Amino acid sequence: MEKLVEFRGLKFYQSEFKISSDNALFFDFVRLPKGGVAVELGAGFGLGTILLAKRYPNTQIVAVEYQKPLYELLLKNLSLNGVENVKPLLCDVREIERCLPPQMADAVLSNPPFWRREYLNPSTKRSEVFVKANYEVETEYTHFLRAAKYLLKSHKEFFFMFNSKRLDEALCRLRELKFAPLELRLVFPTEGKFSNVFFVRSKLGGRGRDLKVDYVIGSSPKGVKGKKAQKG
Ligand SMILES: C[S@@+](CC[C@H](N)C(=O)[O-])C[C@H]1O[C@@H](n2cnc3c(N)ncnc32)[C@H](O)[C@@H]1O
């Protein structure tokens, strides 16, 4: 069921895959150049792309999404919010070479599906769209890292959100692909709990010897107001 919600003065149609505070915090962490081209890999219904397009009106953002239902919500949300500096692209990151030229981006960002396939309980009733958005059933995060590397110009930045339980392996994969982590933000759901997600800013081809680390304590998404969308 589609639902129209308001968030930070913008309107979004969302479905079972919803606005989460962690995702919103990630887009606050992202800093784009004030011009040039940025690419979001796995844009969903457009939350991050649209927040960033409004924050950086002179930057062209390419929003890559491969699930048709989410891509259609993305198109709707772009027009609902009068966004003009975004190029939506129905494309699978595993085939990024077919969709976009190499080294075309001044920044790339992504929060890919990050729950391991084996955590998917087959008896849980979740839509295919939700499962593909959250679990590594088809695409692994390393596909997103490789796509980011393919798209980025040398010494440009990649912003990545992932599961804190997999922090060590993700930082190693980034290093292997020649991304130097520069800034790491740990997110804690509440005080006293383990971190659930982290954000990292890295530079392709950088040296990155001094990693800055900070943290934020998240919460349920503040300021989401909504109602079920009328059909037709
Ligand atoms: C965790 S969601 C994040 C969505 C969005 N960035 C947000 O914060 O609302 C991951 C997104 O990646 C997309 N995705 C998964 N595999 C993909 C692939 N192979 N190619 C393109 N997008 C993919 C999913 O459909 C989903 O929209």
Side-chain angles (χ1 to χ4, degrees):
M1 169 70 78
E2 268 177 34
K3 197 172 169 189
L4 181 63
V5 296
E6 268 185 54
F7 184 66
R8 298 187 181 172
L10 297 166
K11 290 190 170 62
F12 295 93
Y13 280 103
Q14 60 178 21
S15 54
E16 197 188 351
F17 183 71
K18 298 192 176 73
I19 294 178
S20 88
S21 63
D22 293 338
N23 294 13
L25 287 171
F26 173 58
F27 301 118
D28 293 341
F29 174 79
V30 172
R31 295 194 297 278
L32 298 183
K34 294 191 175 95
V37 178
V39 180
E40 182 176 15
L41 296 172
F45 59 84
L47 173 67
T49 284
I50 292 172
L51 289 172
L52 290 165
K54 293 285 180 185
R55 186 149 38 109
Y56 297 96
N58 298 320
T59 306
Q60 284 298 315
I61 302 180
V62 181
V64 175
E65 175 54 53
Y66 88 139
Q67 295 205 71
K68 198 89 189 295
L70 288 178
Y71 179 76
E72 275 160 9
L73 286 183
L74 166 69
L75 297 182
K76 242 165 135 171
N77 288 333
L78 289 171
S79 99
L80 194 62
N81 292 289
V83 176
E84 288 180 355
N85 53 327
V86 170
K87 178 181 184 313
L89 200 59
L90 188 63
C91 167
D92 187 325
V93 297
R94 292 168 295 177
E95 298 178 345
I96 197 74
E97 298 83 356
R98 290 174 183 234
C99 310
L100 290 169
Q103 298 186 354
M104 49 86 68
D106 300 287
V108 174
L109 62 132
S110 187
N111 55 339
F114 61 57
W115 293 338
R116 289 191 180 98
R117 171 198 295 259
E118 54 268 31
Y119 293 164
L120 182 61
N121 179 349
S123 62
T124 311
K125 288 194 175 55
R126 288 295 198 177
S127 70
E128 188 184 337
V129 171
F130 181 88
V131 169
K132 286 188 187 170
N134 288 298
Y135 290 84
E136 289 184 311
V137 280
E138 280 191 345
T139 317
E140 292 177 4
Y141 78 95
T142 48
H143 293 113
F144 286 79
L145 302 190
R146 280 191 217 107
K149 179 170 177 158
Y150 167 83
L151 291 170
L152 268 181
K153 296 175 184 165
S154 179
H155 290 84
K156 298 293 180 184
E157 292 186 340
F158 175 44
F159 295 83
F160 178 57
M161 167 174 163
F162 206 52
N163 184 345
S164 297
K165 288 182 183 164
R166 304 175 74 184
L167 172 64
D168 62 336
E169 65 163 277
L171 292 185
C172 290
R173 291 293 96 75
L174 282 167
R175 283 274 182 203
E176 280 166 18
L177 290 168
K178 309 286 180 232
F179 287 103
L182 301 175
E183 200 179 332
L184 172 69
R185 180 166 295 167
L186 299 171
V187 182
F188 295 82
T190 54
E191 205 138 348
K193 289 256 167 87
F194 287 115
S195 168
N196 55 333
V197 296
F198 70 89
F199 313 144
V200 65
R201 174 171 72 87
S202 62
K203 186 182 276 193
L204 182 61
R207 292 177 73 196
R209 289 191 301 183
D210 296 316
L211 179 64
K212 291 184 192 146
V213 183
D214 67 6
Y215 72 95
V216 63
I217 301 191
S219 60
S220 55
K222 284 192 189 118
V224 181
K225 294 182 228 143
K227 57 174 191 266
K228 288 205 175 99
Q230 301 289 322
K231 283 271 168 210

